[in-house]
Amino acid sequence: MKTNKVLAALALLACLIFMGCNGKGNNEIQPGDLLFVALPMNYTIGDSTADADASSNELNFIHAAILDVDKDGEIWVIDATIKHGVDRHPLDTFLVDFTLKDGDFPTLKVMRLKDNANAKDYVKNAEQWIGEPYDVEFKQDNDSHYCTELIYDAYADDNKHIFSLAPMDFRYDKGQIPTYWHELFGILDKEVPQGDIGILPFEMCKENCLKE
């Protein structure tokens, strides 16, 4: 059953890729494409009921990963997670890791740099941090990375970064922080780093350097 779900998710992802990267050029996955993961705004990690104050129609972008393609056409993921730290693993491993508690998959969104000329170099940049721990502090320059911090550091030329840092805002349009983030940072035994300098997946996917 799990295998069937993974195959279904791969088919969905292939459809997203075809529909999402619909500008001029190749619609297939390319090294350096970014994969964003989103949950319903009212989704909770534990056994608690859905957050009644948040809409199930809104999306809470909770993760971002770098996609790579090997010489055989297999898709790989480079990302930073609590489970693996900074790691490179097959796409199906990623999908299993992000299976929701009801057995379904989150919403997946593939985006590509508008200027994709140096994308392979950015993938190589990211590989240098494989093996580092996950950045539970959500701080810059502390020998660890969280998901979008890894992308921020990797997607740079001569220390000129493509993406930008700003005070992080975990709130949604009602001015509240989704229960998901409180639960996640509770697992890390940390306070939600609201206002700390960094970059969140929701903020990254809106940056002008990316296209759907």
Side-chain angles (χ1 to χ4, degrees), residues 111-135:
M111 301 193 75
R112 179 170 297 162
L113 293 172
K114 292 178 180 177
D115 180 359
N116 209 32
N118 296 324
K120 290 184 178 180
D121 294 333
Y122 303 145
V123 173
K124 290 181 180 178
N125 287 346
E127 289 175 344
Q128 69 182 292
W129 293 297
I130 290 174
E132 275 193 352
Y134 184 76
D135 185 3

Side-chain angles (χ1 to χ4, degrees), residues 118-194:
N118 296 324
K120 290 184 178 180
D121 294 333
Y122 303 145
V123 173
K124 290 181 180 178
N125 287 346
E127 289 175 344
Q128 69 182 292
W129 293 297
I130 290 174
E132 275 193 352
Y134 184 76
D135 185 3
V136 299
E137 300 288 344
F138 271 53
K139 302 293 185 183
Q140 302 298 310
D141 303 321
N142 60 352
D143 297 321
S144 58
H145 284 86
Y146 59 88
C147 64
T148 39
E149 180 186 19
L150 175 66
I151 297 169
Y152 172 81
D153 282 342
Y155 284 57
D157 298 302
D158 298 324
N159 292 322
K160 182 179 180 181
H161 296 270
I162 290 177
F163 297 103
S164 54
L165 300 179
M168 293 184 290
D169 190 353
F170 291 83
R171 299 171 298 179
Y172 62 99
D173 61 359
K174 294 181 181 178
Q176 298 167 312
I177 297 175
T179 298
Y180 171 89
W181 291 114
H182 288 293
E183 290 180 316
L184 177 67
F185 285 100
I187 292 170
L188 299 175
D189 196 26
K190 305 289 181 183
E191 295 292 328
V192 177
Q194 173 72 11

Side-chain angles (χ1 to χ4, degrees), residues 31-165:
D33 287 350
L34 298 181
L35 177 59
F36 292 89
V37 178
L39 303 175
M41 195 68 73
N42 65 356
Y43 184 84
T44 60
I45 296 174
D47 295 330
S48 58
T49 57
D51 185 350
D53 293 328
S55 169
S56 61
N57 296 321
E58 295 177 280
L59 289 177
N60 180 20
F61 284 82
I62 55 99
H63 187 68
I66 300 167
L67 294 173
D68 193 17
V69 184
D70 66 20
K71 59 182 179 60
D72 297 317
E74 296 296 321
I75 300 173
W76 293 74
V77 175
I78 302 172
D79 65 351
T81 62
I82 297 171
K83 181 177 182 179
H84 299 291
V86 179
D87 191 40
R88 182 179 186 269
H89 41 260
L91 178 60
D92 58 354
T93 298
F94 175 90
L95 293 171
V96 170
D97 286 344
F98 279 90
T99 299
L100 304 182
K101 59 187 178 183
D102 63 0
D104 286 335
F105 289 96
T107 297
L108 303 174
K109 182 176 184 178
V110 178
M111 301 193 75
R112 179 170 297 162
L113 293 172
K114 292 178 180 177
D115 180 359
N116 209 32
N118 296 324
K120 290 184 178 180
D121 294 333
Y122 303 145
V123 173
K124 290 181 180 178
N125 287 346
E127 289 175 344
Q128 69 182 292
W129 293 297
I130 290 174
E132 275 193 352
Y134 184 76
D135 185 3
V136 299
E137 300 288 344
F138 271 53
K139 302 293 185 183
Q140 302 298 310
D141 303 321
N142 60 352
D143 297 321
S144 58
H145 284 86
Y146 59 88
C147 64
T148 39
E149 180 186 19
L150 175 66
I151 297 169
Y152 172 81
D153 282 342
Y155 284 57
D157 298 302
D158 298 324
N159 292 322
K160 182 179 180 181
H161 296 270
I162 290 177
F163 297 103
S164 54
L165 300 179

